[in-house]
């Protein structure tokens, strides 16, 4: 009888502390309630401002999502925090800066086809700038992977991590040399004009040079472009990973490299491809970030890179939808912190959230559960 | 655009002399005779002290620039040794060391700054606070020990409550004590005993010590939950810690109630108390404490966690505790280093504690060898005298932008090192004093009752 | 069954482990008297090592109860279980590779080192005395296992057979009542296996231990174990003396059904 009883309640008698889980849960609940109260009060006080903050958070979140995808894919496949990813993002922004400000790449369609509709010209021009950035970033990532990471694939993981930090430093400070990029903030010239709308009993265009009426919510074409790009990339990657042969190979490599190799998968090629895809989308993110915030410098990539990584961890590292959701949460958290608590603390919030989420759910929101270890 | 060959030559000699000095010091400390150890120590301290005391103004052997490098090398060694304990010996990849260094620097600076401005609350506040928080932490720890299996979040909450209560009590006590202490500073015309030079030296000593303890206590509270995250996540979280601390420094006058720290403009007016005696003393303390801990049962437990956590657990080692302990000790060292640093530089700017600079100790321990104290010591001094001293000056001759090239060369060197010799220059080798004692094989084995008759 | 004064060393009832939806161990039961030398066998993936991992606390138990010397140890942390007197070795040897052989064994004394960190920092007399005692005890263990000449070698540089011996020495140094050996004979040649079997017997008698071992080499299991428990697909399919097990149709089917003859 006693045995049967014990079998039902395995861990009660020797673990008196397990019953005290409520202390920690209570603490977290208290934090959550505080957040809800602060947000709720502000929502009631000034709903327009609240929505405006949400919108700016969305914009940030969608950019983070583009960077986070690269982190999550690379980490999923080689278990490496690719610190240099944020700097690839920076390179993407600078490539587009040079393409636009120095070489006027964004107006090439009007040079060749003067009769085209201006909208088509701008779209084609901007797309080619973005494409150039994406290709450059992919090429850069392939080079980094081949030169720095591949020789260390069998070394301890931490050696690769330190190498990644080294690569990141190199890009930041090499970029800081005046003949490369810039050690200071420089204004970024957008390939197209910003169009802003405001919402107040309907959606209206904000006339250039005029302020939108008080109490209205504004949003711009940049937000729309970033959102559309980010969602398209998300859908594309889902398709790539789930439906195509290369996606299947990626999943196989992520799961078990030696076996994948035995199955005839070219593991090195898959890893390089993963780096390239991630970097291409970081390049896209870099261009969009520069367009949105219109000021760039050589250390531009560090903090967005870190926050995007945090977003990827938050969503469950290795999971593409997880990275997307995590990035959106991160964007909101940052925007709301800056809006309602204090602007400087918005960098702190990302890491606080990371720690809290990992403590409650060590594998992130979409992470896989515990597996058997040998 | 011409490299000054004379400068290059002298700098190279300096580097060789410094490394030779360190080697000799470690070798002599490793000598079997206690008298040789003490004599060597005094000689090592005395040589440099004599040079500082008696060198002529116009023909300095150790000029101000080299003096700065020497002191910075001492603090960097303390910080890097702490990080090596955390990462090299315990295997926890931390990027938070620089944050604790900053905490130590600002905490110590605040104590002495207030002291020189006739305010004892810096010292009393931090001293009482550090003591009460320590009492709270140990108290909560004993309480928790009775409830095995408590989730880490609950434990953390209890520690946090204890700390907050302790801090609130401190505010009350320090405030109440202040009117009694204030007169001891005297007035400008009639300075009291607190205003004397000796008082400042003593306060400085306690300020550095307390800075270390404050850093250690913060690292305890931070490390308790965060060390459970696992290596990569722990690295990111500690990097976040450094960033957050830096943010707080930049806003120390707006977000935090420390107007004397002046936020992003930097804290000025810190008394320059650090001299060769203090720098040498604190470095020596750190080296000896770390070496003695490592060559003990505690040290073996710390190493076993790095080698194999599961095997360590099955050997009866409480892995959570033995991740926290090196993290706290390492942060203590960083805090001490920060305190010493603040008092010879005399000026603290948040830029010094930026997380990008915070990779320096990591690069140093990787260079010197993860798990080698000797390597860290040599690498710290070599780093300061070669990269910060020689290379910076030489590159400086190539125009204003050239110093940035330094930061391009660091990572390239790091990459080459990782590719060619990932275990660092010294690997895990140690020199003299720091070497583990070689134990001779035992001859008479079978007559030990401990083995022939099992215990219990 | 058991004498009234001595509770069974190990008593497992209804032990179950899920990995996600996979039931790795189901309703496992086992009882060991003090001084038993028992074997746990079964085809690959039967859940044997998972049982070890649950006894030592490396895995959380999904259901069931484990009692050690009459007390439940279910849900305790691995280090707490070790401190109560359970030691183990691993299937894929887990020595502290970059430490010396001597340090590997000395680590086992940590929980009863007899001095604290403050003693170590200040190098007190207690430190010196206790450290000497620990070292000597560890060296005595190494002598028993004929490892005294390689005490200053790094564990990673040893040949396989010696690594196994160091691991057993290390487990014994933690002063256990129950020793769990996970495939101690794996990768050994026939001569080494004979030595190992003698060693296990010797260790059991000398240290008055209870031993449970997982093994694929039927020669070892049949040669030294007094009781054998057979697992397949996470469940116990047979128990008994080596003789009974050898004749058990279900056991033969479990092994042959996998296409792997039991004896190597």
């Amino acid at each position: 009888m006693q045995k049967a009883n014990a079998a039902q309640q395995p861990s009660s008698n020797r673990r008196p502390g397990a019953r005290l889980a409520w202390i920690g849960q209570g603490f977290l609940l208290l934090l959550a309630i505080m957040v809800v109260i602060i947000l709720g009060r502000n929502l009631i006080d000034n709903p327009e401002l609240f929505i405006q903050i949400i919108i700016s958070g969305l914009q940030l979140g969608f950019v983070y999502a583009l960077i986070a995808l690269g982190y999550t894919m690379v980490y999923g496949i080689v278990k490496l925090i690719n610190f240099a990813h944020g700097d690839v993002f920076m390179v993407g922004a600078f490539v587009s800066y040079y393409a636009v400000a120095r070489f006027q790449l964004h107006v090439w369609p009007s040079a060749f086809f003067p009769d085209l509709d201006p909208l088509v010209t701008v779209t084609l021009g901007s797309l080619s700038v973005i494409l150039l950035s994406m290709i450059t970033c992919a090429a850069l990532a392939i080079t980094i992977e081949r030169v720095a990471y591949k020789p260390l694939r069998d070394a301890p993981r931490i050696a690769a991590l330190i190498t990644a930090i080294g690569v990141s430093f190199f890009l930041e400070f090499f970029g800081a040399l005046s003949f490369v990029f810039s050690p200071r903030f420089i204004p970024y010239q957008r390939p197209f004009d910003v169009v802003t709308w405001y919402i107040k009993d309907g959606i209206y265009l904000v006339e250039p040079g005029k302020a939108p009426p008080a109490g209205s919510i504004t949003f711009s074409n940049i937000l729309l472009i970033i959102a559309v790009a980010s969602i398209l990339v998300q859908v594309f990657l889902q398709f790539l990973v789930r439906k195509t042969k290369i996606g299947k190979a990626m999943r196989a490599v992520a799961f078990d490299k030696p076996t994948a190799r035995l199955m005839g998968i070219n593991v090195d090629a898959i890893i390089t491809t993963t780096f390239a895809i991630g970097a291409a989308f970081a390049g896209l993110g870099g261009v969009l970030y520069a367009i949105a915030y219109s000021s760039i410098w050589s250390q531009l990539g560090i903090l967005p890179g870190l926050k995007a990584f945090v977003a990827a961890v938050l969503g469950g590292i290795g999971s593409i939808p997880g990275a997307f959701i995590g990035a959106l949460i991160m964007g909101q958290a940052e925007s709301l912190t800056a809006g309602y608590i204090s602007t400087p603390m918005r960098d702190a919030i990302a890491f606080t959230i990371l720690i809290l989420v990992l403590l409650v759910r060590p594998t992130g929101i979409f992470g896989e559960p515990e597996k058997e270890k040998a | 655009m011409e490299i000054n060959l004379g400068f290059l030559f002298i700098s190279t000699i300096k580097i060789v002399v410094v490394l030779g000095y360190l080697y000799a010091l470690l070798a002599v400390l490793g000598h079997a005779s206690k008298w040789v150890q003490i004599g060597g120590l005094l000689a090592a301290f005395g040589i440099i002290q004599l040079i500082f005391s008696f060198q002529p103004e116009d023909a300095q052997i150790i000029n101000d620039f080299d003096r700065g490098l020497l002191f910075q090398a001492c603090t960097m060694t303390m910080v890097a040794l702490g990080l090596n304990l955390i990462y090299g010996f315990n295997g926890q990849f931390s990027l938070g060391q620089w944050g604790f260094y900053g905490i130590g620097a600002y905490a110590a600076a605040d104590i002495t700054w207030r002291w020189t401005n006739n305010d004892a609350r810096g010292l009393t506040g931090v001293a009482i606070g550090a003591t009460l928080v320590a009492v709270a932490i140990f108290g909560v720890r004993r309480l928790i020990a009775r409830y095995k299996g408590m989730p880490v979040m609950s434990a953390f909450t209890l520690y946090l409550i204890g700390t907050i209560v302790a801090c609130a009590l401190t505010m009350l006590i320090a405030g109440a004590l202040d009117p009694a202490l204030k007169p001891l500073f005297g007035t400008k015309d009639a300075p009291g005993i607190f205003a004397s030079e000796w008082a400042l030296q003593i306060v400085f000593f306690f300020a550095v010590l307390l800075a270390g303890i404050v850093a250690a206590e913060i690292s305890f509270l931070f490390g308790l939950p965060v060390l459970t995250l696992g290596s990569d996540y722990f690295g990111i979280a500690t990097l976040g810690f450094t960033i957050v601390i830096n943010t707080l420094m930049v806003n120390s006058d707006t977000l935090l109630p420390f107007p004397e720290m002046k936020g992003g403009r930097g804290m000025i007016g810190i008394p320059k108390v650090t001299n060769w005696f203090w720098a040498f003393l604190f470095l020596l303390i750190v080296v000896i404490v770390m070496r003695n801990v490592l060559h003990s049962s505690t040290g073996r437990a710390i190493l076993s966690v790095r080698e194999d956590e599961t095997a360590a657990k099955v050997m009866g080692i409480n892995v959570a505790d033995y991740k926290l302990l090196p993290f706290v000790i390492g942060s203590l060292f960083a805090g001490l280093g920060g305190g010493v640093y603040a008092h010879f530089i005399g000026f603290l700017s948040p830029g010094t504690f930026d997380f990008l600079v915070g990779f320096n100790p990591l690069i140093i321990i990787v260079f010197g060898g993860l798990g080698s104290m000797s390597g860290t010591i040599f690498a710290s001094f070599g780093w300061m005298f070669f990269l910060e001293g020689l290379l910076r000056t030489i590159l400086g001759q190539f125009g204003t932008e050239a110093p940035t090239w330094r930061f391009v060369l660091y990572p390239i060197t790091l990459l080459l090192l990782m590719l060619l010799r990932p275990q660092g220059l010294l690997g895990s080798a140690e020199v003299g004093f720091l070497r583990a004692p070689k134990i001779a094989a035992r001859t008479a084995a079978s007559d030990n009752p401990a083995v022939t008759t099992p215990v219990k | 069954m058991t004498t009234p004064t001595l509770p069974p060393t190990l008593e497992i009832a209804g032990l179950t482990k899920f990995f996600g939806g996979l039931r790795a161990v189901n309703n496992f039961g086992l009882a060991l008297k003090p001084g038993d030398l028992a074997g746990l066998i079964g085809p690959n993936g039967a859940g044997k090592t998972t049982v070890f991992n649950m006894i030592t606390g490396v895995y959380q138990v999904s259901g069931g109860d484990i009692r050690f010397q009459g007390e439940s140890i279910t849900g305790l942390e691995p280090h707490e279980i070790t401190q109560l007197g359970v030691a183990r070795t691993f299937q894929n040897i887990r020595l502290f590779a970059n430490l010396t052989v001597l340090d590997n064994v000395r680590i086992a004394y940590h929980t009863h080192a007899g001095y604290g960190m403050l003693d170590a920092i200040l190098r007190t007399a207690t430190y010196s005395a206790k450290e000497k005692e620990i070292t000597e005890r560890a060296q005595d263990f190494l002598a028993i296992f004929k490892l005294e000449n390689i005490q200053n070698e790094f564990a990673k540089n040893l040949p396989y057979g010696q690594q196994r011996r160091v691991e057993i020495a290390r487990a014994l140094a933690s002063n256990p009542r129950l020793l769990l050996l996970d495939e101690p004979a794996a990768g050994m040649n026939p001569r080494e296996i004979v030595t190992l079997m003698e060693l296990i017997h010797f260790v059991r008698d000398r240290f008055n231990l209870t031993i449970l071992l997982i093994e694929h080499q039927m020669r070892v299991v049949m040669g030294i174990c007094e009781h054998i428990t057979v697992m397949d697909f996470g469940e116990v399919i047979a128990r008994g003396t080596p003789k009974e097990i050898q004749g058990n149709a279900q056991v033969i089917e479990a092994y042959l059904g996998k296409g792997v003859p039991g004896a190597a």
Side-chain angles (χ1 to χ4, degrees):
Chain A
M1 274 326 280
Q2 202 187 349
K3 266 184 200 166
N5 223 349
Q8 277 161 4
Q9 291 177 314
S11 52
S12 51
N13 45 351
R14 296 300 300 259
R15 313 255 75 188
R19 277 176 283 136
L20 296 177
W22 61 268
I23 298 177
Q25 287 158 358
F27 175 63
L28 290 176
L29 194 70
L30 208 69
L31 280 184
I33 291 173
M34 261 167 60
V35 170
V36 168
I37 288 177
I38 292 176
L39 293 184
R41 248 194 19 214
N42 283 301
L43 176 62
I44 295 164
D45 281 357
N46 189 346
E48 290 85 11
L49 178 65
F50 188 86
I51 294 171
Q52 194 66 63
I53 288 174
I54 295 284
I55 286 178
S56 74
L58 269 181
Q59 183 167 317
L60 205 55
F62 280 125
V63 176
Y64 287 163
L66 286 170
I67 319 174
L69 290 170
Y71 272 117
T72 210
M73 285 167 67
V74 166
Y75 194 95
I77 222 159
V78 285
K79 302 279 174 287
L80 166 72
I81 302 179
N82 182 13
F83 266 94
H85 192 64
D87 302 294
V88 171
F89 162 87
M90 175 272 292
V91 171
F94 268 96
V95 168
S96 73
Y97 167 79
Y98 282 111
V100 173
R102 297 269 173 89
F103 302 107
Q104 311 292 325
L105 183 70
H106 62 298
V107 291
W108 72 265
S110 58
F112 288 95
F113 314 102
D115 329 322
L116 271 178
D117 180 69
L119 188 68
V120 179
T121 315
V122 167
T123 312
L124 269 182
S126 305
L127 278 181
S128 40
V129 168
I130 287 175
L131 205 64
L132 178 73
S133 283
M134 290 174 72
I135 292 170
T136 316
C137 287
L140 177 66
I142 291 172
T143 317
I144 294 172
E145 202 272 325
R146 287 279 143 135
V147 173
Y149 301 154
K150 197 179 163 211
L152 288 170
R153 201 149 290 152
D154 299 320
R157 262 175 60 200
I158 224 77
L161 185 61
I162 292 173
T163 309
I165 293 172
V167 173
S168 165
F169 260 51
F170 175 77
L171 290 175
E172 279 151 26
F173 288 101
F174 189 67
L177 295 169
S178 58
F179 66 89
V180 190
F181 300 145
S182 159
R184 262 161 265 109
F185 281 101
I186 49 173
Y188 179 86
Q189 185 192 339
R190 297 188 174 104
F192 54 85
D193 295 321
V194 185
V195 184
T196 315
W197 290 274
Y198 69 87
I199 308 175
K200 193 172 191 184
D201 319 317
I203 299 175
Y204 307 99
L205 198 69
V206 178
E207 304 285 332
K210 275 192 195 168
S216 64
I217 297 156
T218 62
F219 65 95
S220 68
N221 55 344
I222 295 174
L223 169 72
L224 298 181
I225 292 167
I226 289 177
V228 169
S230 193
I231 291 167
L232 279 183
V233 166
Q234 165 74 19
V235 172
F236 167 75
L237 276 184
Q238 275 297 331
F239 171 77
L240 183 85
V241 170
R242 298 273 155 227
K243 303 280 179 205
T244 63
K245 207 173 155 191
I246 190 163
K248 220 173 260 175
M250 277 177 182
R251 281 185 288 153
V253 173
F255 194 73
D256 187 344
K257 266 187 265 311
T259 312
R261 191 170 280 131
L262 288 178
M263 293 313 214
I265 295 172
N266 186 343
V267 172
D268 283 328
I270 291 296
I271 292 174
T272 311
T273 315
T274 312
F275 269 90
I277 294 174
F281 293 133
L284 170 63
V287 180
L288 295 177
Y289 186 89
I291 290 174
Y293 300 100
S294 72
S295 149
I296 56 176
W297 69 313
S298 66
Q299 294 184 5
L300 169 83
I302 301 176
L303 277 178
L306 278 174
K307 286 172 192 163
F309 176 75
V310 170
V313 174
L314 202 64
I317 198 104
S319 152
I320 290 171
F324 190 71
I325 302 291
L328 290 184
I329 294 174
M330 201 51 75
Q332 291 310 332
E334 195 176 326
S335 178
L336 289 169
T337 311
Y340 291 129
I341 299 173
S342 108
T343 317
M345 289 320 285
R346 65 176 196 195
D347 294 340
I349 198 75
F351 299 101
T352 316
I353 291 181
L354 172 79
I355 293 168
L356 288 177
V357 167
L358 285 182
L359 284 174
V360 177
R361 220 185 129 81
T363 49
I365 299 169
F366 286 78
E368 314 235 318
E370 170 193 24
K371 265 195 235 137
E372 184 174 12
K373 287 171 286 182
Chain B
M1 286 282 273
E2 187 183 319
I3 294 178
N4 185 336
L5 279 179
F7 174 78
L8 191 67
F9 180 69
I10 290 178
S11 299
T12 315
I13 290 200
K14 272 179 199 160
I15 293 168
V16 173
V17 167
V18 166
L19 295 183
Y21 170 83
L22 291 171
Y23 187 89
L25 178 58
L26 290 179
V28 94
L29 281 179
H31 196 277
S33 154
K34 205 158 237 167
W35 295 110
V36 175
Q37 289 176 13
I38 293 173
L41 200 62
L42 288 176
F45 167 73
I47 289 171
I48 295 184
Q49 184 59 50
L50 284 175
I51 295 175
F52 276 135
S53 303
F54 296 109
Q55 63 182 354
E57 275 298 316
D58 48 347
Q60 287 184 325
I61 303 167
I62 304 177
N63 59 28
D64 285 349
F65 182 66
D66 291 331
R67 184 176 178 271
L69 287 181
L70 185 67
F71 284 11
Q72 284 196 59
C74 289
T75 55
M76 185 55 101
T77 309
M78 291 157 80
V79 178
L81 280 176
L83 182 62
N84 207 348
L85 183 65
I86 297 168
Y87 177 37
F89 289 96
N90 193 230
Q92 305 308 309
F93 183 67
S94 169
L95 296 169
Q97 193 72 355
W98 211 238
F100 292 110
Y101 179 54
I103 290 175
Y106 270 89
D110 197 54
I111 294 176
T112 51
W113 187 92
R114 283 174 185 256
W115 190 267
T116 50
N117 287 282
N118 293 353
D119 181 357
R121 276 176 305 175
L123 183 66
T124 54
V126 179
I128 297 169
T131 316
L132 286 182
V133 170
V135 169
I137 285 175
F138 283 109
V140 173
R141 206 177 149 75
R142 294 197 69 169
L143 181 78
I144 287 174
R146 292 171 40 199
Y147 295 95
K148 281 180 181 155
M150 185 185 287
V152 68
M153 206 58 219
S154 297
F156 174 72
T157 311
L158 292 178
Y159 281 117
L160 197 66
I161 294 171
T163 308
I164 292 171
V165 170
C167 288
L169 266 176
T170 305
M171 302 272 257
L172 287 176
I173 300 174
L177 221 55
D178 196 46
L181 295 174
K182 202 100 190 169
L184 292 174
F185 284 105
T187 57
K188 210 165 200 141
D189 305 318
I193 50 164
F194 276 12
S196 70
E197 180 59 28
W198 280 104
L200 183 63
Q201 292 286 336
I202 294 166
V203 168
F204 162 76
F205 176 76
F206 282 106
V208 175
L209 215 58
L210 287 170
I213 293 171
V214 168
E217 283 170 353
I218 294 176
S219 78
F220 178 86
L221 282 176
F222 176 73
L224 184 83
V226 173
L227 274 165
T228 59
L229 298 184
S231 67
D232 289 2
Y233 295 161
F234 176 69
I236 289 288
T238 47
L239 178 61
F241 176 79
T242 305
I243 293 174
V244 172
I245 292 296
N246 197 247
T247 313
L248 290 177
M249 284 175 188
V250 174
N251 300 286
S252 54
D253 49 348
T254 50
L255 284 181
L256 300 177
F258 300 112
E260 69 276 13
M261 293 180 188
K262 295 201 175 63
R265 286 161 294 158
M267 185 174 185
I268 49 169
I270 305 160
K272 293 193 182 183
V273 191
T274 301
N275 50 28
W276 171 240
F277 171 73
W278 289 122
F280 188 80
L281 179 74
F282 278 110
L283 177 59
L284 197 71
I285 291 175
V286 164
V287 169
I288 290 178
V289 166
M290 182 161 161
R291 175 255 195 190
N292 284 0
V293 167
L294 283 175
H295 296 169
S296 76
S297 192
T298 311
R300 290 191 289 268
I302 289 172
L303 286 168
S304 73
V305 171
R306 171 191 75 187
E307 293 293 314
D308 188 329
E309 279 185 31
T310 306
K313 280 181 192 165
V314 170
M315 285 290 97
I317 286 160
N318 185 344
V319 168
D321 276 2
Y322 279 95
K323 284 181 180 176
L324 199 49
L325 180 73
F327 188 60
V328 170
I329 299 178
S331 308
L332 174 88
F333 292 170
L336 295 176
V340 174
Y341 171 79
H343 289 90
F344 77 80
I345 210 84
F347 166 73
L348 290 180
S349 143
T352 315
F353 304 101
D354 188 85
F355 73 96
L356 279 177
V357 194
F359 284 103
N360 287 355
L362 177 70
I363 298 174
I364 286 173
I365 65 165
V366 170
F367 259 91
L370 295 170
S372 164
M373 283 182 71
S374 318
T376 303
I377 296 172
F378 289 129
S380 300
F381 279 83
W383 164 277
M384 272 300 161
F385 279 87
F386 181 70
L387 291 173
E388 293 287 325
L390 176 67
L391 198 65
R392 186 184 223 162
T393 316
I394 287 185
L395 286 173
Q397 295 172 345
F398 290 91
T400 52
E401 198 174 43
T404 312
W405 275 99
R406 214 159 40 110
F407 293 103
V408 179
L409 292 177
Y410 289 175
I412 292 178
T413 330
L414 188 68
L415 291 184
L416 287 177
L417 190 76
M418 277 293 117
L419 293 175
L420 301 175
R421 198 174 157 78
Q423 70 272 46
L425 292 180
L426 275 190
S428 60
E430 297 285 11
V431 169
F433 173 64
L434 301 173
R435 204 176 287 156
K438 202 103 183 155
I439 291 160
R442 204 160 133 76
T443 42
S446 51
D447 54 316
N448 189 327
V451 170
T452 41
T453 52
V455 197
K456 275 187 221 169
Chain C
M1 285 273 282
T2 55
T3 48
T5 45
L6 280 175
T9 305
L10 186 69
E11 206 177 9
I12 303 176
L15 193 65
T16 304
K17 177 70 188 173
F18 289 99
F19 288 108
L22 180 78
R23 194 192 289 257
V25 173
N26 185 24
N27 201 18
F28 178 86
L30 181 70
L32 297 180
K33 298 193 302 298
D36 274 354
L37 207 172
L40 181 59
I41 65 171
N44 282 324
K48 306 180 298 286
T49 300
T50 308
V51 169
F52 267 29
N53 279 335
M54 284 191 283
I55 297 174
T56 50
V58 174
Y59 284 165
Q60 288 284 314
V61 172
S62 306
D65 190 32
I66 305 168
R67 288 177 172 271
F68 174 67
Q69 296 186 333
E71 273 185 273
S72 172
I73 56 168
T74 324
L76 288 189
E77 294 280 322
H79 66 266
E80 292 165 345
I81 292 174
T82 305
Q83 285 167 21
L84 288 173
V86 181
R88 75 174 282 189
T89 66
F90 294 89
Q91 189 177 344
N92 46 343
I93 305 174
R94 298 184 86 143
L95 288 175
F96 304 119
N98 294 305
L99 303 187
T100 63
V101 169
L102 183 63
D103 278 349
N104 263 281
V105 178
R106 285 200 288 181
I107 282 170
Y109 288 102
H110 177 66
T111 50
H112 36 267
Y115 67 88
M117 200 172 70
L118 215 56
D119 287 313
I121 292 174
L122 301 174
R123 290 284 143 121
T124 59
T126 321
Y127 164 81
S128 310
K130 293 288 178 187
E131 188 70 5
K132 185 159 172 276
E133 191 186 327
I134 290 172
T135 307
E136 285 174 358
R137 282 194 182 200
Q139 285 177 323
D140 290 343
F141 263 113
L142 290 178
I144 292 174
F145 288 86
K146 304 201 168 42
L147 295 161
E148 69 271 34
N149 294 326
I150 52 159
Q151 62 169 2
N152 288 324
E153 294 283 330
F154 285 126
K156 63 181 174 190
N157 296 337
L158 300 185
Y160 194 78
Q162 282 184 339
Q163 290 197 5
R164 282 258 174 242
R165 295 221 299 275
V166 175
E167 209 189 17
I168 297 174
R170 187 181 69 174
L172 286 174
S174 70
N175 193 19
R177 304 283 85 218
L178 170 67
L179 179 64
L180 306 173
L181 301 172
D182 198 344
E183 295 196 31
M188 285 191 176
N189 63 37
R191 224 187 63 218
E192 286 175 322
I193 287 177
V194 173
T195 325
L196 178 83
M197 286 165 67
E198 285 166 4
L199 189 72
I200 292 174
H201 257 300
F202 166 78
V203 159
R204 195 254 314 243
D205 298 338
R206 172 124 179 209
F207 299 104
N208 203 5
L209 289 175
T210 311
I211 296 180
L212 176 64
L213 59 89
I214 294 176
E215 194 45 75
H216 277 301
Q217 312 261 5
M218 284 305 143
R219 238 177 76 195
V220 178
V221 183
M222 298 304 166
I224 58 174
C225 293
E226 291 144 4
H227 311 270
I228 293 172
T229 306
V230 190
M231 286 181 82
D232 195 16
F233 293 112
E235 305 203 13
V236 175
I237 56 169
R239 309 169 196 275
T241 61
K243 267 241 164 62
E244 291 163 5
I245 295 297
Q246 273 166 330
N248 187 310
Q250 224 181 336
V251 175
I252 294 166
E253 194 192 303
Y255 273 92
L256 293 181
K258 297 275 283 183
V260 184

